[in-house]
Amino acid sequence: MTTYKIALLPGDGIGRDVTDAAWAVLERAADIGGFSLARTSYPWSCDYYHQHGTMMPADGIDTLKTFDAILLGAVGWPAKVPDSVSLHGLLLPIRKAFVQYANVRPHRLLPGVQSPLKADAFDILCIRENTEGEYSGAGGRVHQGADNEVAIETSIFTRKGVERILRYGFEQARARRGKLASVTKSNAQKYSMVFWDEITQALAREYPDIEVTSYHIDAMAARMVMAPESLDVVVASNLFGDILTDLGAAIQGGLGFAASANINPDRSAPSMFEPVHGSAPDIAHLGIANPIATIWSGAMMLDHLGEKTAASNVMAAIEATTARGIGAFPGKDKTEAITTAVLSALD
């Protein structure tokens, strides 16, 4: 029997609730599929930061590199730790150290879930560059607190980084419906975004079977609202992809349905899977968090590990659950009730 080693990072707030729910479903899927999942949990979080002065120990990356995959709940508790500390202390170091340069987020309506849009037949795969660009962390502040204070944030785009995320997008489009939308703001950002557009055009010649369209970020935001069914694969920079995927979550019914994967495509290090929603401190420990986004992220993890039948089974169980109206409406069902329904559908 194949055993996969999974590092579990519940994180903050509702993170523990949703990862517990997802783990129960994933274990059941593994039992049915004839493989096993061996988890090791780590308490790295904002509470850990208060105790130790760091979001994870100095050897955290070395610890995680021994696993086949990482399942994350949610990180952040602004009342305790500034988001700039929690993000740069845990998520970004993991993404960068393990070269998880492809952040993949699916946006489609589950059965029984209502979108705020009129459209309901869209299926968008957003691919966000995940390790450089606007979130490179290059810059600084001088004369802090003075009236001549200066803050500089430098975006870094490398040819290697832009080309590999676009190539990943082209390959995904080839495996789907053959359409790729590349998102920039090259009319205003005449260096980095023109650079991105040029690389898109060069790669398009290698993929003559793919229909390629370039959009400005504002036009893409409008298209995702007005004509989401026209989109297939959307590729964007770190910042633009971050913003567009929250919009994607909104049109698919809310953050409770938004899954994501931080992929290392060459598998030289573990990939990480997490829901898009945050830690939601206001509802932590109330038992009302929707675990579907985390369960969906777990299905993406199984698919990445090569257990495609099990991944399909989990997705079918999610869809059967929401089709019954369970977990389909924000705040209606308890975490435990949704989890139980998914487990029942899986069986």
Side-chain angles (χ1 to χ4, degrees), residues 10-269:
D12 298 298
I14 61 173
R16 182 165 300 280
D17 294 342
V18 295
T19 51
D20 283 348
W23 192 258
V25 173
L26 295 175
E27 278 198 312
R28 185 73 59 84
D31 289 341
I32 295 170
F35 60 96
S36 66
L37 301 172
R39 73 173 177 181
T40 303
S41 296
Y42 296 97
W44 306 339
S45 61
C46 290
D47 283 338
Y48 186 91
Y49 180 87
H50 270 285
Q51 296 171 23
H52 303 279
T54 182
M55 290 296 294
M56 64 177 169
D59 63 351
I61 296 298
D62 287 335
T63 298
L64 292 176
K65 72 171 55 172
T66 64
F67 289 89
D68 295 305
I70 304 162
L71 182 63
L72 174 73
V75 174
W77 201 304
K80 297 180 179 181
V81 178
D83 284 341
S84 58
V85 172
S86 58
L87 179 66
H88 286 271
L90 189 63
L91 284 184
L92 293 187
I94 292 172
R95 289 171 176 172
K96 292 178 180 180
F98 295 147
V99 199
Q100 297 169 348
Y101 65 81
N103 185 271
V104 181
R105 301 186 179 186
H107 300 297
R108 62 181 176 85
L109 272 180
L110 295 171
V113 177
Q114 295 181 350
S115 170
L117 305 182
K118 295 178 181 179
D120 59 8
F122 57 87
D123 181 1
I124 305 170
L125 189 68
C126 279
I127 298 172
R128 162 190 169 191
E129 200 292 313
N130 210 31
T131 58
E132 56 174 48
E134 302 91 346
Y135 294 176
S136 297
R141 292 170 62 181
V142 295
H143 311 304
Q144 291 190 38
D147 59 4
N148 63 335
E149 182 173 359
V150 177
I152 296 175
E153 193 87 31
T154 302
S155 299
I156 296 176
F157 291 85
T158 65
R159 180 169 293 277
K160 178 179 179 179
V162 175
E163 181 173 325
R164 69 187 180 186
I165 194 62
L166 283 165
R167 192 177 295 280
Y168 185 89
F170 274 104
E171 293 295 334
Q172 294 301 308
R174 178 170 280 174
R176 286 169 51 94
R177 302 193 305 277
K179 296 169 63 178
L180 182 137
S182 175
V183 181
T184 66
K185 188 61 175 171
S186 52
N187 57 341
Q189 295 174 284
K190 64 180 183 178
Y191 301 118
S192 61
M193 296 287 93
V194 169
F195 177 61
W196 182 294
D197 282 349
E198 289 173 353
I199 295 175
T200 301
Q201 293 160 11
L203 285 178
R205 291 192 285 271
E206 298 182 30
Y207 294 87
D209 53 320
I210 304 301
E211 178 186 333
V212 182
T213 309
S214 291
Y215 293 90
H216 292 149
I217 176 65
D218 42 356
M220 175 53 70
R223 178 164 287 273
M224 286 182 68
V225 172
M226 300 301 293
E229 71 283 353
S230 69
L231 299 169
D232 180 16
V233 173
V234 175
V235 187
S237 68
N238 215 330
L239 174 61
F240 292 166
D242 194 3
I243 295 168
L244 286 176
T245 51
D246 266 23
L247 177 57
I251 67 172
Q252 73 181 111
L255 287 169
F257 307 107
S260 78
N262 303 276
I263 300 294
N264 174 307
D266 68 11
R267 300 174 184 268
S268 60

